[in-house]
Structure formats: C-alpha cells, structure tokens
Amino acid sequence: MLGASRRWRAEGRSIGLVPTMGALHAGHMRLVETARGENDVVVVSLFINPMQFGPNEDLDRYPRDWDRDAKMLQEAEVDAVYRPTAAEMYPPGASTRVHVRGVTDGLEGAARPRHFEGVATVVTKLLAAVAPDRAYFGQKDAQQVAVVNRLARDLDLGVEIRVVPTVREPDGLALSSRNVYLGPEERKAARSISAALREAAAAYSSGERDPVRLRARIAARLTLEPLVHLEYAELVDPATFQKPGTLAVIAARVGKTRLIDNHDVTKPFPG
Ligand code: AMP
C-alpha cells in the first residue's frame, strides 16, 4: 500500500484514508463522500481488527459481506481498498501496543478493557501503511475520535484527523453495522437512545445546565424501555472524556446488542 501512496504523493496528489471494519452502511459512505470532496485520492481500509475485540465480544459473528462492500466502494469511486489479513497486520511475534493514557480510562475504555489499545495500535499501523494527508472518523464513536486525535498529536503523525457527523435513520437511531443484530421489537426500543439525547438537548436549550439533572433525564427516558438496559450515560468533555462536559454519551444493551451514541447537548438534535 505504501508504494502506491508514495507514487500518488510524488504526483502531488493528496490522499484521504477512511478506516472501516466493513459491513458498510450510509454512515461509512458519508465518510467516503467527505474524503472524496477533500482529497485527490481516497483509500478505504477494511479490516476487522481482532485486537480491539474483548474475549466475550462479537468478533466471530461481526457482520461480513465483502461482495456488497466492494460494490458500494466501486460505486463511490474509491481509488483503492486496503484489506490486509490479520496475519499480515499482526505477524507472529508482533508485540507492540499503542496505549493512549487518560482519555481511554472511562466509559468505553472501562466497559471494554484494552479496546482502545487495539484501536490505537491498528490506527497507527493503518496511518503508517497508507500515509494519508487526512484520515476520516465518525462522531458516532466519540471516544475513539478523542483517542485518535490525542494519538495523532502525541506521536506527531502529521495527519489531519477529520470528524464526520453521525448519520442516523429517519427515527434517529445512529447507523451501525451492529444494528443488523436487532430483532423487530428491539429495533423499535433502540429508538429510545437517540430520543434520550434529543430530550437532553431540548432540556439544555430550555435552560437546564446541571449535568447531574441532564444525566438523570437521559437515564429516566431509557428506563422506560423494558428491552433497553442502560450501561452508562454521562456528560463529558469531548476532548478529555472527563466529567463534566456537554457531550452526552450513552451505552446501552438492547437485548444482547450493545449500542453507543452521543450528542453535544449545546446543539439542536438533528432531524
Ligand atoms: P466501523 O466500521 O464501525 O469501525 O466504523 C468505521 C468508521 O465509520 C468509524 O470512524 C465510525 O465512527 C464511522 N461510523 C460508523 N457509524 C457511523 C454513523 N452512523 N455515522 C457516521 N460515521 C459512522
């Protein structure tokens, strides 16, 4: 991959990288379109990174549909797809891990031990392999954005991290490859996650500034749904992921499916 990047760069063409784990949806494609608009060359990486999955997580059943992904990427006029195997990524003896401190301590970092170490390691390797000018990440994974921003700065990676707003279903549910796990009743109940964020933004705009009360409102909305089990709801600073802040972040289980979402309550909820 690096050879192609060096040629593009020698020709003076700018490169945008969109890292994904495949099972592409309109959220991923929004990242691709954004990259398309800002770069001469767009590279999409597709790698289901075993290092970022915990032992009891969904690595084995994570959705995979390469033929469909390939078609979508072709239609979006992506210049190259980087699709390494796990053995290429992590050859025997590979023992280096990238650990970003602080921002990875709480929330997703606490719920999924070593998850962000897997993310930071693979993102570092993808950036080294593709050497893009810009790399594109979704606001949907807000703590991941904070981790990648920190990483790019701390290691002087010389890449511009671009963040793309969350793409949602008409009823507000954030698009996610994991939404395919939801049964019809669960899918209906999942709506309450974005509804809770919408209510928090409305409360903020009506003058509510107390993060404890905003948090309580979110929790109350989610406990109305018997199929939804709230894991956490917090208001944090979007860069440090420390409390207090105005970014409302939620993780909830709907049946067996774990979903996350977030919204900056100082802004109106879209739609
Ligand atoms: P994934 O394949 O789930 O690792 O996601 C690849 C990239 O797409 C990440 O930067 C995600 O944050 C981003 N992404 C996932 N879902 C959405 C969404 N609904 N809207 C915008 N970006 C998203």
Side-chain angles (χ1 to χ4, degrees), residues 58-210:
D58 57 346
L59 174 61
D60 294 337
R61 65 184 193 118
Y62 195 82
R64 293 159 167 86
D65 192 343
W66 166 239
D67 290 341
R68 185 171 168 275
D69 289 348
K71 216 169 144 222
M72 287 169 79
L73 294 173
Q74 201 176 5
E75 279 165 14
E77 297 183 2
V78 161
D79 297 276
V81 182
Y82 178 48
R83 202 160 68 108
T85 64
E88 282 162 355
M89 245 344 182
Y90 305 116
S95 61
T96 302
R97 301 285 183 277
V98 180
H99 180 73
V100 179
R101 290 189 191 168
V103 66
T104 59
D105 288 347
L107 303 170
E108 285 307 280
R112 306 181 69 188
R114 313 197 77 153
H115 167 67
F116 285 123
E117 205 174 80
V119 169
T121 303
V122 83
V123 168
T124 304
K125 287 174 67 76
L126 292 169
L127 292 173
V130 179
D133 296 278
R134 300 180 190 86
Y136 294 79
F137 294 87
Q139 176 61 29
K140 157 83 173 30
D141 297 282
Q143 199 169 1
Q144 172 169 281
V145 165
V147 170
V148 171
N149 271 324
R150 191 73 265 159
L151 165 77
R153 248 172 256 168
D154 289 350
L155 298 184
D156 308 313
L157 296 181
V159 60
E160 187 184 342
I161 304 301
R162 304 281 291 138
V163 182
V164 176
T166 303
V167 177
R168 298 178 178 281
E169 299 282 6
D171 71 354
L173 178 69
L175 297 193
S176 162
S177 303
R178 290 187 168 99
N179 290 352
V180 298
Y181 299 151
L182 299 170
E185 289 308 310
E186 292 170 346
R187 170 65 189 78
K188 269 188 226 159
R191 205 189 137 264
S192 60
I193 299 171
S194 56
L197 293 170
R198 182 189 297 280
E199 284 179 23
Y204 186 94
S205 85
S206 313
E208 181 60 84
R209 295 290 183 275
D210 180 358

Side-chain angles (χ1 to χ4, degrees), residues 208-221:
E208 181 60 84
R209 295 290 183 275
D210 180 358
V212 175
R213 285 217 289 270
L214 287 166
R215 188 207 166 274
R217 260 174 190 269
I218 293 172
R221 177 67 181 84

